[in-house]
């Protein structure tokens, strides 16, 4: 049997949109998620386009406040940072958490707002994909434990660099990459895990097969999914619209056409998530579309978690 794990995305962006800047409250939600039986907590990254608490600092605090939860980034944008500094931060966080870190990464969704974020930080937007790939290569070298590292690449060149402390695990934390379509080749080639959000289970199954054929069982298939719970289905749909359009400043119909999203009753949500689990998802990251994360976190744990197929045949 293989276990399917379930994680909770900490509402860093939602807190910022409400002008409630209390990272300590987010740490309390991580502790609550652990008590409720979740397997992981996650934090997003978007310092300019969708400002929020820094994910690595927040997860460092969550590492101190929890004991067993995996701690993930969903997702980090390495192309905004120098890989030596990012490798140092991630290694330190992996050691702080006793090896519980999952480094979820992506190149950034291609739209004008993402480009504006890169411009503001002074990073080359048009080279973000190749910078991501080279950053992964550099970080793995720095985490290899082979001593001083030198690198000469397209974007980064340095000599005789050694990190301290090293990560908790040999080779560093697992790197999970986002993306579908053309990005699947990169996932199979570079990643330890795959963290996509395909809008239908059919697309998920097809793309998982592509990754699995290219990389075998070495890549963990995960899923990033947005869920809005309400026993009144029509009200759930309206709540989803309000939450998503406020979050993305774009019509629900467009976001829903590219992302896995569900609004409805707890039983219906469990059935929807189980369809992805049956298609191979081994780690499901839940983003709750709600104005009350405390209440809906409890509701999801009470009403949905017990219905999920968390163990399945290999």
């Amino acid at each position: 049997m293989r276990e399917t794990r379930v994680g909770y995305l900490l509402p860093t962006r939602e807190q910022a949109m409400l002008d409630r800047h209390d990272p300590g409250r987010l740490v309390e939600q991580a502790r609550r998620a652990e008590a409720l039986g979740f397997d992981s907590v996650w934090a997003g990254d978007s310092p300019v386009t969708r400002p929020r608490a820094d994910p690595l600092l927040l997860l460092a605090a969550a590492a101190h406040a929890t004991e067993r939860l995996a701690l993930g980034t969903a997702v980090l944008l390495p192309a905004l940072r120098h890989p030596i500094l990012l490798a140092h931060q991630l290694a330190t966080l992996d050691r702080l958490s006793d090896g519980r870190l999952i480094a979820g990464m992506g190149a950034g969704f291609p739209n004008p707002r993402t480009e504006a974020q890169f411009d503001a930080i002074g990073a080359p937007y048009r080279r973000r994909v190749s910078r991501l790939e080279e950053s992964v290569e550099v970080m793995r070298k720095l985490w290899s434990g082979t001593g001083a590292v030198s690198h000469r690449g397209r974007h980064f060149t340095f000599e005789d660099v050694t990190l301290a402390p090293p990560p908790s695990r040999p080779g560093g934390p697992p790197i999970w990459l986002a993306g579908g379509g053309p990005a699947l080749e990169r996932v199979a080639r570079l990643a330890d895990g795959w963290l996509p959000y395909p809008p239908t289970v059919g697309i998920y199954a097809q793309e998982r097969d592509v990754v699995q054929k290219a990389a075998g069982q070495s890549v963990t298939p995960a899923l990033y999914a947005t869920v809005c719970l309400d026993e009144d289905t029509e009200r759930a749909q309206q709540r989803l619209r309000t939450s998503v359009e406020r979050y993305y400043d774009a019509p629900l119909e467009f976001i829903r056409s590219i992302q896995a999203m569900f609004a409805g009753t707890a039983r219906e949500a469990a059935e929807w998530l189980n369809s992805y689990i049956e298609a191979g998802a081994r780690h499901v990251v839940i983003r709750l579309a709600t104005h009350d994360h405390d209440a809906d976190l409890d509701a999801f744990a009470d009403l949905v978690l017990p219905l999920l197929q968390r163990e399945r045949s290999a």
Side-chain angles (χ1 to χ4, degrees):
M1 302 294 286
R2 286 189 175 178
E3 181 181 4
T4 296
R5 298 185 175 186
V6 181
Y8 167 58
L9 182 75
L10 295 169
T12 54
R13 175 57 182 156
E14 290 87 342
Q15 189 184 86
M17 288 191 300
L18 294 171
D19 201 27
R20 297 173 183 170
H21 305 293
D22 184 3
R25 185 75 194 97
L26 297 168
V27 174
E28 286 299 319
Q29 287 174 321
R31 184 183 286 116
R32 180 63 178 159
E34 182 171 64
L36 290 170
F38 285 84
D39 301 296
S40 59
V41 292
W42 301 73
D45 177 36
S46 183
V48 176
T49 302
R50 298 185 184 92
R52 65 191 74 193
D54 180 85
L56 301 185
L57 291 175
L58 178 61
L59 291 177
H64 181 71
T66 60
E67 296 181 356
R68 61 167 185 82
L69 285 178
L71 307 167
T73 52
V75 292
L76 197 66
L77 302 175
L80 294 176
R81 300 161 169 89
H82 194 288
I84 293 176
L85 298 178
L86 184 55
H88 188 204
Q89 290 175 303
L90 292 172
T92 302
L93 180 51
D94 192 53
R95 189 157 287 272
L96 276 172
S97 64
D98 294 323
R100 291 185 281 146
L101 177 63
I102 300 171
M105 300 180 181
F109 189 75
N111 64 24
R113 291 193 170 192
T114 301
E115 185 170 1
Q117 177 168 252
F118 275 74
D119 289 344
I121 293 173
Y125 170 78
R126 299 186 192 285
R127 291 185 284 170
R128 70 194 187 284
V129 173
S130 60
R131 280 174 65 93
L132 165 64
E133 294 192 4
E134 190 173 336
S135 293
V136 171
E137 178 188 356
V138 167
M139 288 187 284
R140 291 198 191 279
K141 283 183 179 180
L142 291 167
W143 295 335
S144 66
T146 57
V149 170
S150 298
H151 177 82
R152 291 187 177 276
R154 178 182 176 187
H155 304 291
F156 310 105
T157 298
F158 55 85
E159 300 288 338
D160 299 329
V161 172
T162 302
L163 291 185
S168 178
R169 288 162 289 184
I175 293 175
W176 292 12
L177 293 180
L184 296 176
E185 181 276 333
R186 178 167 64 249
V187 172
R189 175 166 47 88
L190 296 176
D192 303 298
W194 175 48
L195 184 56
Y197 47 49
T200 70
V201 69
I203 295 173
Y204 184 88
Q206 292 170 8
E207 295 192 333
R208 178 184 175 274
D209 286 346
V210 170
V211 172
Q212 193 166 38
K213 286 177 182 176
Q217 298 291 332
S218 62
V219 175
T220 300
L223 173 72
Y224 180 105
T226 297
V227 174
C228 182
L229 297 178
D230 201 300
E231 289 308 298
D232 183 318
T233 301
E234 183 175 339
R235 187 168 57 215
Q237 294 289 344
Q238 185 55 51
R239 288 178 56 201
L240 178 67
R241 178 178 297 278
T242 299
S243 176
V244 167
E245 293 185 350
R246 182 177 59 214
Y247 188 99
Y248 290 104
D249 193 23
L252 173 63
E253 288 75 15
F254 170 70
I255 302 300
R256 205 170 200 169
S257 72
I258 59 175
Q259 288 195 22
M261 294 191 168
F262 178 84
T265 70
R267 183 167 294 278
E268 291 167 341
E271 292 173 356
W272 180 75
L273 290 168
N274 279 332
S275 70
Y276 281 92
I277 292 171
E278 290 165 2
R282 286 172 48 198
H283 202 132
V284 178
V285 179
I286 302 298
R287 183 174 80 90
L288 293 174
T290 178
H291 66 279
D292 188 342
H293 275 264
D294 292 332
D296 278 25
L297 180 62
D298 285 355
F300 190 96
D302 290 343
L303 303 174
V304 181
L305 275 184
L307 300 179
L308 295 182
Q309 298 173 13
R310 301 181 73 176
E311 291 187 355
R312 60 185 182 82
S313 300

